[in-house]
Amino acid sequence: MREVAVVGIGVTEFGEKWETSFRNLFVEAGAMALEDANMSGDQIDEMFVGNMSAGRFVLQEHIGALIADYAGLVGNHIPATRTEAACASGGLAFRQAYTTVASGLNDIVIAGGVEKMTDVGGSVTTDALAGAADREWEGLVGATFPGLYAMIATDYMHRYGLTREQLAMVSVKNHANGAKNPIAQYRKEITVEDVIRSTRVADPLRLLDCSPVTDGAAAVILCPMEMARQFTDTPIRVLASAQACDTISLHDRRDISTLDATVAAGKRAYAQAGVTPKEIGMVEVHDCFTIAEICAIEDLGFCAKGEAGKLTEDGQTALGGSIPVNTSGGLKSCGHPVGATGIKQVAEIVAQLRGEAGARQVDAEIGMTHNVGGTGATVVCNILGV
Ligand code: COA
């Protein structure tokens, strides 16, 4: 296997983008990534696009060819493929791109993700997202994503004594980071009181415990490390890209407060990179709901089970803490255009490791991403280093 580097990144502003079409969102991110890598589109050998549900959100399928066409990449008739694993669709695109470059099949590959979720009403969005769980045994009996994660939160709080305040602190910290991120959907600081008093969505989760509904796109360009300095002075190495799966239904899990697929993908990534959690300087985890960040910190080995609430309360996951978590603002504040999230996480780590993260810059040489599909049926973890 060849060593692989990320040489270009591009992320659109996240939010409600009425003025931009689905296809143009991706083209914007892809053009930024090409410019960042000082290369032109005709140098690309292959493209993977993470997208969960364009068929429901914008009534469009056949996303690989559509995006290649509107990005001006059809001249060389390159392979262009959509990857789908619900909210881990972007993570999957990155892993496919990594695999094809590492294997020697291709030299320059673009991995992107795009979702435009706000063109339909809230009930369509909630129903489309419910398709990431088990439609027959969960969706059809009324289980929504906030509902499923509320069950995890209830179980976790009961067993490990996590307080309502500690849960809120996850959101407060992520909003503080997002307020420093120019592309974030909700660039505003909030308090524990704001979270606890926000509208109840699915008890115990409140509005400010939930990631929002978002439009956005992100793209990164990978190539073999030996070619990387042709394109950038600051290539970032891909030290690991690992994936794991688990049961699609929450009720079939061994333990609903531990995502076994996170544990498995994390262990595989650490083994591949030859590092331990102690050597990771920062991590972007999949905080689709505040409880998801609490579970992720533990399942990835940054603290023991039951201790993530205290770690958060002590400020260890904030900027300047021992393990900064979600410096981008995470899904909660930066936003969660589901197919794009896994790629935005990689772009955030690359920006941080290059020292280009502005007011949210942390001191790290190795960073990790954690992207979850559904309630943990698919997990992709990547580790990147300078
Ligand atoms: N965080 C902060 N503010 C939010 C928000 C969020 N998650 N969601 C909505 N808002 C704000 C809106 O900006 C709006 O503010 P305004 O009145 O000042 O304009 C207000 O809250 C109401 O927005 P609205 O769009 O009507 O909210 P909603 O009730 O339709 O949706 C949720 C709120 C939580 C149900 C929705 O964001 C949601 O479904 N989130 C989860 C998405 C999800 O499951 N993703 C997949 C995870 S695996």
Side-chain angles (χ1 to χ4, degrees):
M1 296 282 266
R2 299 190 293 184
E3 201 180 358
V4 177
V6 177
V7 293
I9 55 172
V11 186
T12 66
E13 195 173 285
F14 281 8
E16 192 166 21
K17 311 296 286 179
W18 285 105
E19 71 288 1
T20 311
S21 68
F22 171 81
R23 62 190 71 182
N24 283 342
L25 270 176
F26 186 87
V27 171
E28 196 183 320
M32 281 192 263
L34 285 170
E35 193 183 344
D36 187 45
N38 297 302
M39 68 170 68
S40 63
D42 57 14
Q43 290 172 273
I44 301 289
D45 294 322
E46 183 156 9
M47 178 167 70
F48 294 94
V49 183
N51 174 257
M52 176 183 166
S53 205
R56 296 292 302 275
F57 293 135
V58 292
L59 308 181
Q60 176 74 57
E61 305 288 7
H62 208 167
I63 302 307
L66 172 93
I67 297 295
D69 184 6
Y70 277 81
L73 299 180
V74 286
N76 294 332
H77 306 290
I78 61 162
T81 307
R82 170 195 191 166
T83 59
E84 190 277 311
C87 306
S89 299
L92 220 59
F94 185 81
R95 184 158 181 276
Q96 293 305 310
Y98 166 78
T99 306
T100 174
V101 176
S103 70
L105 192 63
N106 286 307
D107 284 334
I108 303 177
V109 177
I110 188 158
V114 57
E115 209 77 56
K116 192 155 204 301
M117 303 171 73
T118 68
D119 289 0
V120 290
S123 58
V124 176
T125 309
T126 300
D127 188 59
L129 290 169
D134 186 327
R135 179 65 76 180
E136 283 190 25
W137 291 101
E138 295 178 321
L140 290 180
V141 290
T144 61
F145 262 86
L148 291 165
Y149 275 91
M151 289 184 217
I152 298 176
T154 303
D155 177 64
Y156 185 101
M157 292 169 94
H158 174 68
R159 286 165 62 192
Y160 299 108
L162 177 80
T163 66
R164 186 43 274 199
E165 287 74 16
Q166 288 172 328
L167 196 56
M169 286 169 196
V170 171
S171 187
V172 171
K173 182 262 300 170
N174 288 346
H175 270 263
N177 293 350
K180 297 180 171 63
N181 187 350
I183 64 122
Q185 181 167 3
Y186 288 109
R187 271 170 256 166
K188 60 170 185 192
E189 301 215 16
I190 56 169
T191 64
V192 167
E193 191 84 333
D194 291 334
V195 181
I196 293 174
R197 290 205 174 160
S198 62
T199 308
R200 183 176 283 131
V201 174
D203 199 53
L205 301 178
R206 305 262 170 171
L207 179 75
L208 292 175
D209 287 298
C210 304
S211 59
V213 169
T214 310
D215 304 332
V220 299
I221 297 173
L222 297 89
C223 76
M225 188 63 204
E226 70 220 27
M227 289 175 67
R229 289 195 187 271
Q230 292 174 32
F231 307 113
T232 177
D233 294 334
T234 52
I236 299 300
R237 290 166 205 274
V238 184
L239 304 178
S241 186
Q243 183 180 341
C245 71
D246 201 349
T247 65
I248 190 95
S249 301
L250 193 58
H251 60 258
D252 281 333
R253 301 275 166 80
R254 180 187 64 79
D255 173 349
I256 69 167
S257 287
T258 296
L259 272 65
D260 284 345
T262 294
V263 177
K267 280 187 179 158
R268 277 174 204 155
Y270 294 134
Q272 205 180 323
V275 300
T276 64
K278 281 196 170 46
E279 289 163 80
I280 303 291
M282 59 168 298
V283 60
E284 288 284 299
V285 304
H286 198 96
D287 59 318
C288 49
F289 300 93
T290 44
I291 187 63
E293 177 166 318
I294 293 287
C295 295
I297 293 170
E298 297 168 352
D299 297 345
L300 292 172
F302 295 112
C303 65
K305 202 74 208 164
E307 289 180 5
K310 176 86 170 49
L311 200 74
T312 305
E313 186 173 4
D314 290 347
Q316 298 301 332
T317 60
L319 301 181
S322 57
I323 176 71
V325 179
N326 285 329
T327 60
S328 68
L331 284 54
K332 172 66 209 73
S333 164
C334 191
H336 184 26
V338 287
T341 285
I343 300 292
K344 180 223 75 180
Q345 293 177 324
V346 171
E348 174 68 10
I349 301 287
V350 170
Q352 288 279 359
L353 298 185
R354 284 176 176 177
E356 295 173 356
R360 56 186 203 288
Q361 183 67 47
V362 297
D363 185 17
E365 295 196 342
I366 299 181
M368 183 172 194
T369 65
H370 163 257
N371 188 201
V372 177
T375 53
T378 298
V379 175
V380 180
C381 288
N382 300 302
I383 300 179
L384 296 106
V386 289

